[in-house]
Amino acid sequence: MTGYSVETAREAAPAIEAWLAYQRRYLRTPGVQAAVRVGAELITSQAYGFADEPAGTPLRTDHLFRIASHSKTFTATAVLQLVGQGSLRLDDRIDAHVPELAGTGVGAVTLRELLGHQGGVIRDGVDTDFWQLMRPFPDRAELIDLCREHGVVYQTNEHFKYSNVGYSLLGLAVESASGVSYHEYVQTKIIEPLGLADTGPEWRPELADRFAAGHSGLIDGAEPRQAIGHIDTRGMAAATGFYSTAEDLVRYAAAHFTGAGELIDDPAKRLIQRDESTVVTNGVEQGTYGLGMDVTTIGERRVVGHSGGYPGHITRTYLDPAEQVAVSVLTNCIGGPATALADGVVKLLNLAAGDHDPDPAAADHDLSRFTGLFANLMGVVQIALLGGRLVGFYAAAPDPTASYDELRFVDENTLVGTAAAGFGLAGEPIRFSWAADGSVESVRYGGGTRWPVDVFLARRADQISNGTAGTGTS
């Protein structure tokens, strides 16, 4: 597989945007905000759907999302900054910085163990109904009391145990070592140096009109969604309090590219991004975690980043530190498909960047005129320009690259599926009819006629009621 390039990503952007917009509608997601960055260039920043679906408020690219556990990456960055300055050591016990925990099981847990979720610390607490808005998030005093009474679940390094409480304690260590509040530290040492105008460590009521509403989940599948407001995460901000936009998040991710020196050096980045823990549950590998970022492989790409789950917001950011690519997708509903959509974006970028034979017949022809989403009774096919060639895939597929057709140029009205073994249209022609304005009127794909999605939806009822299916005619 070849490397990413700005030019390849720019060409792929319309296909990515069209796929995200369709997936948002298909999956009944109120709003999706997404951004892609390659190196120093913002390739795309888009918003689809609604900031508040019941109110009909359109979503903008500057609407703010609660990014929840993305907060951990900011906290890990802060800790590694302070380690680099000599103010903290990774092997410090947490009670060296939170003396109220001295003499407790949690007090002996090190910063390294907390960063890697190897401290055995309770995840959220014994009364976690703050996640469903039934009570406030704990403040510092409640957090300390919780840790003293119920903090130890496992011995250190016994099991990977994801812990919001553990990262909340890291926020207290940042305060102890820096001499300022956690909020002030991350604002002055991370947010402001990167110019992240739409990012902060906690809910800000004075910006309420700029926050995208959260939305309830589809418990029974068919009920309407309800808008959900925002609350302060108080003592747990270092684990889950941050807000941001997709555009700001890919800018922040770029500071974690190899060679970027704005926040921490490359050795510190490698600590955050390395394979610290491989998580196996019931014999099934669930993923890998470093010291503040999770690690996965999408196709042949090793990417790091984090997801976030807040009441009504589900979010995901990936970055490839070596190839300098960042993708962020934010959704504003419980159960939102942020990770699946971000995976799909990375896979489309991978497909665009992958090795393939050039199509000499297509030289000097505008292949973009063939692109779009085309529907018939059996579903929607997207024809996309990726890596200088056309591909076709089912737009509703969660993985748009799992099964796709390589398409070759024949003439100004015709493409053909590449000759290869397959269950689809391999080797068959795809013929286009054009409207007077040059747009696609219809396309015969795999022998069946397809139309632009809006055209097909307008004709579907008549097509079904007037059709011959089931009448015995042919």
Side-chain angles (χ1 to χ4, degrees):
M1 179 173 285
T2 58
Y4 292 104
S5 72
V6 170
E7 293 73 20
T8 298
R10 282 185 198 140
E11 182 191 71
I16 290 169
E17 292 162 5
W19 181 74
L20 285 171
Y22 178 80
Q23 284 276 316
R24 199 280 308 175
R25 299 190 301 272
Y26 183 77
L27 297 174
R28 289 191 59 200
T29 304
V32 172
Q33 196 185 82
V36 176
R37 185 185 181 100
V38 177
E41 182 165 325
L42 180 66
I43 299 298
T44 184
S45 176
Q46 301 292 325
Y48 312 95
F50 301 97
D52 186 325
E53 187 174 67
T57 307
L59 184 66
R60 305 185 309 268
T61 57
D62 65 344
H63 268 115
L64 308 176
F65 281 68
R66 301 303 289 276
I67 58 170
S69 288
H70 281 74
S71 307
K72 295 178 177 67
T73 72
F74 289 85
T75 299
T77 301
V79 169
L80 267 295
Q81 284 179 333
L82 291 164
V83 167
Q85 297 165 16
S87 302
L88 290 174
R89 295 182 309 121
L90 289 178
D91 293 328
D92 284 350
R93 293 164 48 119
I94 188 62
D95 61 10
H97 305 285
V98 187
E100 301 99 314
L101 296 179
T104 71
V106 172
V109 177
T110 68
L111 303 189
R112 184 191 300 270
E113 290 161 346
L114 292 174
L115 285 167
H117 299 288
Q118 288 285 353
V121 177
I122 194 168
R123 189 188 197 281
D124 289 294
V126 293
D127 178 359
T128 65
D129 282 338
F130 44 82
W131 284 118
Q132 53 180 334
L133 313 182
M134 293 174 62
R135 59 173 293 243
F137 274 75
D139 59 15
R140 178 191 169 112
E142 291 174 272
L143 190 70
I144 298 301
D145 288 345
L146 168 68
C147 288
R148 291 179 64 87
E149 297 177 25
H150 306 286
V152 176
V153 178
Y154 297 130
Q155 297 302 304
T156 56
N157 303 302
E158 183 181 4
H159 295 290
F160 175 92
K161 178 163 182 57
Y162 191 84
S163 177
N164 285 315
V165 170
Y167 262 79
S168 302
L169 295 177
L170 287 169
L172 300 184
V174 169
E175 293 185 340
S176 171
S178 67
V180 299
S181 72
Y182 174 81
H183 289 22
E184 182 179 346
Y185 183 88
V186 295
Q187 186 70 38
T188 58
K189 301 300 183 181
I190 300 176
I191 295 169
E192 290 176 2
L194 298 181
L196 305 180
D198 293 327
T199 300
E202 186 56 277
W203 159 244
R204 291 177 59 185
E206 71 274 19
L207 297 179
D209 61 341
R210 290 199 51 212
F211 277 81
H215 293 80
S216 57
L218 298 178
I219 301 299
D220 203 32
E223 76 277 17
R225 295 193 190 271
Q226 294 179 291
I228 302 173
H230 298 265
I231 58 173
D232 195 315
T233 61
R234 306 212 297 172
M236 298 183 78
T240 194
F242 269 72
Y243 67 85
S244 192
T245 63
E247 192 168 321
D248 262 14
L249 282 172
V250 294
R251 172 67 186 94
Y252 167 67
H256 289 272
F257 290 164
T258 302
E262 298 153 301
L263 298 180
I264 52 177
D265 60 18
D266 284 352
K269 294 192 202 86
R270 286 193 286 271
L271 281 172
I272 290 176
Q273 298 170 7
R274 74 181 184 179
D275 295 358
E276 181 79 2
S277 300
T278 298
V279 185
V280 179
T281 304
N282 298 323
V284 178
E285 185 173 323
Q286 304 293 318
T288 304
Y289 203 90
L291 292 184
M293 290 187 182
D294 56 24
V295 185
T296 192
T297 300
I298 301 177
E300 297 178 17
R301 304 290 182 185
R302 182 185 188 273
V303 294
V304 299
H306 223 290
S307 60
Y310 180 86
H313 287 183
I314 303 294
T315 55
R316 162 57 79 178
T317 299
Y318 289 126
L319 67 125
D320 179 334
E323 295 283 357
Q324 302 203 339
V325 175
V327 170
S328 186
V329 177
L330 316 182
T331 62
N332 61 341
C333 62
I334 292 172
T339 293
L341 294 181
D343 284 0
V345 171
V346 174
K347 288 173 180 178
L348 288 170
L349 288 168
N350 286 349
L351 185 57
D355 292 323
H356 56 272
D357 295 328
D359 183 0
D364 302 322
H365 292 280
D366 178 14
L367 297 182
S368 66
R369 66 195 294 265
F370 295 101
T371 63
L373 288 94
F374 305 106
N376 68 9
L377 195 58
M378 304 304 290
V380 178
V381 163
Q382 181 172 348
I383 298 177
L385 183 58
L386 297 170
R389 91 293 203 186
L390 294 166
V391 299
F393 54 85
Y394 281 96
D399 178 357
T401 68
S403 177
Y404 64 91
D405 298 312
E406 290 268 3
L407 310 179
R408 296 288 181 164
F409 179 87
V410 176
D411 58 41
E412 292 295 342
N413 302 311
T414 313
L415 305 174
V416 66
T418 300
F423 291 95
L425 54 69
E428 298 180 16
I430 302 109
R431 294 192 169 92
F432 288 75
S433 297
W434 307 95
D437 64 0
S439 62
V440 177
E441 188 173 76
S442 65
V443 55
R444 191 169 289 280
Y445 191 103
T449 307
R450 294 179 175 274
W451 297 265
V453 173
D454 57 341
V455 174
F456 175 71
L457 289 176
R459 60 172 285 136
R460 180 172 60 179
D462 287 342
Q463 180 176 320
I464 292 171
S465 62
N466 296 332
T468 60
T471 66
T473 62
S474 59

